[in-house]
Every structure is written in structure tokens, then in C-alpha cells.
């Protein structure tokens, strides 16, 4: 054992001496300066990345800390980040108030879409809307990338304009158009499409949904970077333009399509503009999260009134904030899981799109 320790101690000065000898053989101690610079850059990069990660994760960590605190911890000024009495009661109550899971007991007396729960409703509505939006945007983007038609630059400028103009600017005319939808007077009795899924699906299939201009731009850039020789070879082999698009262009564009789908899914999941206009009656996640504070306050007042026999007392602000934090965490958990599963396609598409992020 002693011989082994001595042997290890003898090796270290030998390595250092060899390194210093190699450094002296270089001009102006280049080897030592290079290694010091490399170590310094590594330390600086590590500190910078740690700081950026902390800035991103700190709000989530703060919300998680609030979500597992008991009422005593929330009103105790000495408790800052680590609860003394951790509990998961907030998660149970938030899931109940948000109608998070399907209500199978109520389905026995008659089915209604709201009984599926906010989680299931949000998943299938968001997936359906995202697929329709990406399908429509892909066709439009391919047309802009490969075909020539009158006023092409003007129409593409209109696409970019939909990205720059916030949807709140056109909220009133959009509401009036869908509240009294008559298709330029061709329909005798106007249809009421506000508060219905069909109205939002109509926007999606016409590539006018949430941030569809951005998806068109990204896909157009991707298709423009693909070599035209692929299409020309397919045409020589007898493929038409539609079959060339389906068999040649779409398979190569899968990473970008997945990225656009992720963008559409995440933004649709947390959207409060279109969901308020079209999907309020479906109990989707964005509506439930936005109303969770008021829902919890009403629930707390009722529970307090039943326990005390009085009109009831409103909850403390700390309790409301803790409940909102819990609702946000269980609301964004599914999209975090989806991103972790599909992140490989996301990174690959950004690298091949030609867009500087």
C-alpha cells in the first residue's frame, strides 16, 4: 500500500515537469496561455449557463415551492422557499376545481363534452387544431417557395403582416364576422360561430389561426433550401406536382413539420385569445387556469360559510397565489413532457431551416 502511494506521488511531478518542458519549447509560453485561456472560457461559460438556467427555472421553482406549502407555511413570514409542512393538498384541490380529469360518474347520466375534463378536452382540441393549421400552412408555404403566381410578393407581405399585427387589433371585426357569419351574403340566415369549435376549425383550415403566418414563413424557408433537383428528378420519373410534394418534399420536411406542430400545440395550449372567443364552453386548460383564482375564492368562501354558519370569509392572497401556482404547474406539465419527447426533431429542424434563432 505504501509503495503504491509513493508511486502515485512520483508520477505527478513527472507530468508537471513534462508539461512545463513542453511549454518552454513553445514561443512565448503558448501552451500555458492556451490552456489557461481554455479553462477561463470554460469557467465563464459554465457560470453564464448556470445563471441563465437559474433565471429560467427560478420562477418554476418558486411556484413549486408555493404549491407544496401548507396554509401555516404560507402565512408564516419565516418560511421563504422550503416548507416546514409540505403537502400535496393543493394539487388535489386544483385538479378538482379545474375539472382536470374526466368525470366518469357524471357520464352515466348523460354525456357532455365538458365531462371529459380539461386535460382530455385540451389535448384532443389542441391536437386537432394544430394538425389542421400545419397542414394548411404547409400547402401555402410550398406554394410560396416553389410556384410563381400574380402578386406573389404582395401576398407574402400580407402573410408577414399577420405575424406583426397582434390578434387583439382585429378582435372586434373578427368577433362580428363570426357572430354574424353569412359568407359575403351568400347565406340567408347568418350563422353564429362564436363559442363553437367549428368557427375555430374554419380559421385553422384557412391558415388564419394562431400565429399561422410564422409557420408559413418557417416552412417556406425550409422548402426554399431544399434542392430543386429532387423535384425535377421526380417529374422525370413521372410524378405530378402533388405526388412530388407528398412523396419527396414532405418526408424530408418531417423535422420542420414536427417543430411547427410543437409551436402550434404549445401556443394553442396556453392561448387565451381564441379560446375565449371560440372554446369557452369546452373547459379547456387556458380558460380553467385563467379563472382558477376566482374559482378557488368562491370555493373557499362556500367551505368557510358551511363550517362557520356565516357568510364566509375570503381566502388570504397567499392562498390564492399558491393555488394559481399549482394550477399553472399541472397545466403546463403535459406540454413539457411532449417537448422532452420531441426535442430531437425540434433541434434538427432549427439547424436545417436556415433561420437564425
Amino acid at each position: 500500500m505504501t509503495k503504491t502511494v509513493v508511486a502515485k506521488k512520483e508520477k505527478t511531478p513527472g507530468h508537471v515537469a513534462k508539461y512545463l518542458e513542453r511549454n518552454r519549447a513553445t514561443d512565448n509560453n503558448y501552451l500555458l496561455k492556451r490552456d489557461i485561456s481554455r479553462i477561463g472560457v470554460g469557467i465563464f461559460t459554465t457560470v453564464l449557463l448556470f445563471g441563465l438556467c437559474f433565471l429560467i427555472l427560478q420562477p418554476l421553482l418558486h411556484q413549486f415551492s408555493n404549491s407544496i406549502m401548507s396554509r401555516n407555511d404560507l402565512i408564516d413570514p419565516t418560511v421563504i422557499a422550503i416548507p416546514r409542512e409540505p403537502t400535496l393538498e393543493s394539487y388535489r384541490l386544483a385538479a378538482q376545481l379545474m375539472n382536470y380529469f374526466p368525470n366518469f360518474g357524471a357520464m352515466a347520466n348523460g354525456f357532455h363534452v365538458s365531462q371529459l375534463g380539461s386535460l382530455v378536452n385540451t389535448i384532443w382540441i389542441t391536437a386537432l387544431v394544430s394538425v389542421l393549421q400545419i397542414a394548411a400552412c404547409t400547402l401555402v408555404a410550398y406554394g410560396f417557395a416553389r410556384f410563381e403566381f400574380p402578386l406573389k410578393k404582395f401576398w407574402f407581405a400580407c402573410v408577414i403582416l399577420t405575424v406583426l399585427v397582434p390578434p387583439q387589433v382585429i378582435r372586434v371585426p373578427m368577433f362580428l364576422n363570426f357572430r354574424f357569419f353569412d359568407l359575403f351574403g351568400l347565406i340567408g340566415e347568418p350563422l353564429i360561430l362564436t363559442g363553437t369549435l367549428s368557427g375555430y376549425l374554419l380559421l385553422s383550415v384557412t391558415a388564419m389561426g394562431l400565429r399561422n403566418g410564422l409557420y408559413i414563413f418557417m416552412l417556406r424557408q425550409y422548402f426554399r433550401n431544399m434542392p430543386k433537383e429532387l423535384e425535377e428528378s421526380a417529374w422525370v420519373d413521372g410524378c405530378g406536382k402533388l405526388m412530388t410534394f407528398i412523396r419527396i418534399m414532405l418526408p424530408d420536411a418531417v423535422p420542420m413539420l414536427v417543430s411547427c406542430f410543437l409551436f402550434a400545440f404549445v401556443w394553442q395550449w396556453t392561448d387565451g385569445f381564441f379560446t375565449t372567443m371560440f372554446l369557452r364552453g369546452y373547459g379547456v386548460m387556458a380558460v380553467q387556469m385563467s379563472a382558477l383564482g376566482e374559482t378557488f375564492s368562491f370555493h373557499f368562501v362556500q367551505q368557510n360559510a358551511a363550517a362557520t354558519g356565516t357568510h364566509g370569509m375570503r381566502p388570504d392572497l397567499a392562498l390564492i397565489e399558491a393555488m394559481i401556482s399549482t394550477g399553472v404547474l399541472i397545466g403546463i406539465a403535459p406540454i413539457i413532457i411532449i417537448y422532452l419527447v420531441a426535442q430531437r426533431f425540434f433541434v434538427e429542424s432549427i439547424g436545417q431551416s436556415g433561420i437564425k434563432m
Side-chain angles (χ1 to χ4, degrees), residues 330-345:
I330 65 176
I332 66 176
I335 60 177
I336 294 177
I337 295 174
I338 291 174
Y339 172 76
L340 292 177
V341 172
Q343 64 173 332
R344 179 174 63 87
F345 295 96

Side-chain angles (χ1 to χ4, degrees), residues 44-332:
F44 175 78
T45 304
T46 302
V47 173
L48 180 62
L49 291 177
F50 176 80
L52 292 176
C53 292
F54 178 78
L55 289 176
I56 296 172
L57 296 178
Q58 193 274 336
L60 291 177
L61 295 176
H62 176 71
Q63 289 183 332
F64 175 74
S65 175
N66 284 343
S67 67
I68 61 175
M69 286 187 181
S70 63
R71 185 177 182 183
N72 294 332
D73 291 333
L74 291 169
I75 63 178
D76 189 350
T78 61
V79 177
I80 299 176
I82 303 177
R84 291 197 180 99
E85 304 172 4
T87 178
L88 298 178
E89 179 63 20
S90 296
Y91 287 90
R92 184 197 65 79
L93 183 57
Q96 175 186 342
L97 296 178
M98 294 174 64
N99 190 24
Y100 196 75
F101 298 107
N103 189 354
F104 295 105
M107 291 181 188
N109 301 325
F111 175 76
H112 189 268
V113 67
S114 61
Q115 296 169 354
L116 291 174
S118 60
L119 178 62
V120 175
N121 273 336
T122 307
I123 289 176
W124 76 264
I125 290 177
T126 302
L128 175 61
V129 169
S130 300
V131 169
L132 292 177
Q133 287 180 356
I134 299 307
C137 292
T138 303
L139 291 173
V140 175
Y142 184 68
F144 277 116
R146 285 294 193 254
F147 298 102
E148 296 295 332
F149 49 87
L151 302 177
K152 176 180 177 180
K153 293 183 178 179
F154 170 77
W155 295 122
F156 188 70
C158 293
V159 171
I160 299 300
L161 193 63
T162 62
V163 181
L164 301 178
V165 176
Q168 289 78 7
V169 176
I170 58 174
R171 184 185 185 96
V172 174
M174 181 182 293
F175 175 83
L176 294 176
N177 284 334
F178 284 94
R179 176 61 179 81
F180 306 99
F181 187 78
D182 58 356
L183 195 62
F184 304 105
L186 300 178
I187 301 177
E189 186 69 22
L191 301 176
I192 301 177
L193 297 182
T194 55
T196 63
L197 180 60
S198 58
Y200 196 30
L201 295 181
L202 181 62
L203 276 178
S204 300
V205 297
T206 54
M208 284 299 296
L210 179 65
R211 293 182 173 89
N212 283 183
L214 177 61
Y215 311 146
I216 294 174
F217 174 74
M218 294 175 64
L219 289 166
R220 170 183 174 269
Q221 293 297 108
Y222 190 91
F223 286 132
R224 287 186 65 185
N225 290 336
M226 295 182 67
K228 292 184 178 181
E229 289 77 10
L230 293 175
E231 296 170 295
E232 294 173 354
S233 300
W235 294 339
V236 170
D237 292 337
C239 275
K241 294 183 178 179
L242 179 59
M243 295 307 298
T244 300
F245 171 71
I246 295 175
R247 293 187 176 183
I248 304 300
M249 305 302 286
L250 280 184
D252 287 341
V254 166
M256 178 56 69
L257 293 175
V258 172
S259 290
C260 291
F261 177 81
L262 285 177
F263 280 128
F265 196 93
V266 171
W267 281 329
Q268 178 60 42
W269 187 280
T270 58
D271 172 60
F273 178 78
F274 289 103
T275 53
T276 302
M277 185 177 298
F278 296 103
L279 305 175
R280 178 172 289 275
Y282 290 84
V284 294
M285 197 71 67
V287 176
Q288 298 290 357
M289 284 192 294
S290 62
L292 183 58
E294 297 179 2
T295 306
F296 171 68
S297 298
F298 180 74
H299 173 79
F300 187 89
V301 170
Q302 282 189 323
Q303 294 293 323
N304 186 261
T308 60
T310 60
H311 293 291
M313 181 180 61
R314 288 185 59 83
D316 299 329
L317 182 60
L319 286 175
I320 298 177
E321 291 181 353
M323 187 56 56
I324 293 176
S325 298
T326 307
V328 169
L329 289 176
I330 65 176
I332 66 176

